[in-house]
Amino acid sequence: MSDIITVALAGNPNVGKSTIFNALTGMKQHTGNWTGKTVDSALGYFKTETHRYRLVDLPGTYSLIPHSAEEKIARDYIYNEKPEAVIVVCDATCLERNLNLVLQTKKIARRVIVCVNLLDEAKKKGISVDLDLLAHRLGVRVVGVVARQNKTIKNLLFALDEAVENDELTTQSNDFLNYELQEELAISTVKTAEKIFNGVVTYKNKNYQNHDRKIDKILTSRAFGYPLMLLLLCIIFWITISGANYPSDLLFSAFSWVEIKLSEFLNLIHLPTVIHNALVFGIFRTVSFVVSVMLPPMAIFFPLFTLLEDLGYLPRVAYNLDKPFKKCNACGKQALTMCMGFGCNAVGVTGCRIIDSPRERLLAILTNTFVPCNGRFPTIIAIITMFLAVGGGVLSSVSATLILTLVIVFGILMTFLATKLLSATVLKGVPSNFILEMPPYRKPEFLKVIIRSVLDRTVYVLGRALITAVPAGLVIFIMSNVNISDKALLLHCADFLDPFAQLMGLDGVILLGFILGFPANEIVVPIIIMAYTGAGIISGDMNLQNVQELFVSNGWDITTAISMLIFSLCHWPCATTVLTIKKETASFKWTALAVFLPTALGIIICMLFNLLIKLLH
Amino acid sequence: MKYLYDLKIGEKCRVDKILIYDSLRRRLIDLGLTPDTLVECVGQSPLGDPKAFLIKGAVIALRYEVCKSIRVTEVLA
């Protein structure tokens, strides 16, 4: 077998490039349905009977004559790294526009293979593509693919083997490097694409898009556009909250059982009490709390959110919210990065690359932390369930859902407020532009999405729990057991913070929880629990009822809970996010502002809220 | 003179000229907005702006500021 052959995968955004990448490499890179989902080039390997390949997934791009950072990555890669072949993935339902990129790639790549994807979708819509005619006109190999069908992927592999063995290298043109020529070149490419396209594709029904337009008419209508967004959010939250309750309890009792066994075992091998306590009450309890509280909501929320994403709804959210963002002198695509923030703010910050204007990108980066990420979302649900939900049974989950929706809407309003604030002060400027492709609605593969994202989330949450909760649990245990003048170190710190925290409606322990939770927001509540229980030993089983009783006995009331919710939404981003912001902005100043702004807003809002409550009493 | 912005939902037109001369111009051309291309207005967002246009088989959302700078001809219902 010969040396490894490098092949690049190019294509417009939204043509199912990532699906092809996964089908070829067997990797499970997450696929999404919005522009520029792949912000970094992914790397994968595969082999055929005759060759071994290295596959580079380039960011989605409309053109190789660069307009944005992503396009530059794709152009530079093909031009400088000279991969043996470039597979250009095209969407069969939108072929003409895609041919533009094919023609441009042909000019600079050594070999081009056109992969016409989504043939099944096209067939459903009565669109048929004459692949032979297309190959003849383009003068390159063309393969029709349905990513879910292995047979068609095999055809692609076959074409690739043939191409690297036989095809002549096309001459590289320098045209794209010459700025003057660019517009003429772009227009003539578009015209050529039109000529090639004519006759290649036939439509059984010219109005094949009517179905999508009808859905759009409702989802983006004046009357229902915003209410439906809220309703969808509510439904997802409700399923998450009511679905997470039972597995959460189950996990808590499972962990309690394991804890007893673990404790017995450690006693059996005569471990010193202090090590026993550190392992059981420090590390094990922190891990069990983090997993029990975090895992169920995440394992339910994410598949649902992914389904919404795969359906093609998120670009409509950006479309609906563009006007409000424009009012804040920002870009509607910020709605997309906001949505990514639900998963992880660091991912959201990286995702801001989809915004072309540097000023608007900064606005999106600096305000991303106002949507609660993975680490904060379940904490917020837990606080709501413990202190704010009213009634029992269904009523309790409904009220919790409404409050959670309110919290998220508050976070979104804070995003707008902070964006407006920034664009009126340090990031002045006029809104640049907003060009967003709204892809066709696609039926997601329900079962596959659910199974994959449940597994992904489980692995992710458990991984986070291990790398953050284990060391954090140990550190907090040590801090709450090392005494300085008869008081634990943890309590000294808490006492120091207390006067200030009281002004915000919190107490020193809670604020200390947030500060020590800087590496990962998941551990804020476990820190608070351990600090309240002194030596870190909670009486009875670890579950939400006991935690609530513990909090109440330490002076918590509804005001404390609300202040905690506000501060959860508005405080410094976690360590990973801060590092990502530093990397993305390459500026200490902007990173500092990204920490300062949400913190300052959080402190101010908490203080005002508590002042208001005191005045009302 | 008619501009893309004047198009009502369901109306079609042909692109005449793009009166934008910054980097945005190239992006619009890449999306297929070249002279004589047929464009249809297919919707608007809840607050009226941006609007959605069918361009070469894809639906693209454009803001008012962009639409008002694209001159069009042959507006058809």
Side-chain angles (χ1 to χ4, degrees), chain A residues 260-272 275-277 279-280:
Chain A
I260 294 167
K261 297 287 160 202
L262 178 72
S263 176
E264 280 171 7
F265 172 73
L266 293 178
N267 285 330
L268 201 73
I269 58 171
H270 300 294
L271 228 53
I275 296 180
H276 166 274
N277 285 356
L279 285 176
V280 174

Side-chain angles (χ1 to χ4, degrees), chain A residues 65 96 183 322 326 436 438, chain B residues 25 49 56 59 61 63:
Chain A
I65 312 171
E96 184 181 350
E183 178 163 340
D322 181 55
K326 192 167 115 186
L436 181 79
M438 299 209 283
Chain B
R25 182 183 181 85
D49 178 40
K56 301 217 186 233
V59 179
R63 274 182 181 171

Side-chain angles (χ1 to χ4, degrees), chain A residues 213-227:
Chain A
R213 295 292 78 75
K214 271 183 201 147
I215 302 175
D216 268 343
K217 206 165 234 169
I218 301 165
L219 290 181
T220 67
S221 72
R222 184 180 290 268
F224 302 114
Y226 296 122

Side-chain angles (χ1 to χ4, degrees), chain B:
Chain B
M1 282 298 151
K2 284 261 184 187
Y3 296 88
L4 198 53
Y5 189 75
D6 299 316
L7 235 59
K8 294 192 178 64
I9 296 174
E11 285 184 337
K12 291 176 189 159
C13 68
R14 282 187 190 282
V15 175
D16 181 23
K17 197 166 187 213
I18 301 175
L19 305 168
I20 294 170
Y21 298 96
D22 56 17
S23 64
L24 180 60
R25 182 183 181 85
R26 277 286 331 291
R27 168 59 60 86
L28 294 171
I29 291 170
D30 288 337
L31 289 172
L33 278 171
T34 50
D36 287 337
T37 302
L38 196 66
V39 175
E40 179 185 348
C41 179
V42 291
Q44 61 179 24
S45 81
L47 297 172
D49 178 40
K51 285 183 170 179
F53 299 93
L54 186 62
I55 305 167
K56 301 217 186 233
V59 179
I60 314 279
L62 298 172
R63 274 182 181 171
Y64 166 75
E65 287 75 9
V66 174
C67 302
K68 77 173 181 6
S69 305
I70 298 174
R71 209 164 68 196
V72 301
T73 54
E74 280 187 64
V75 176
L76 319 156

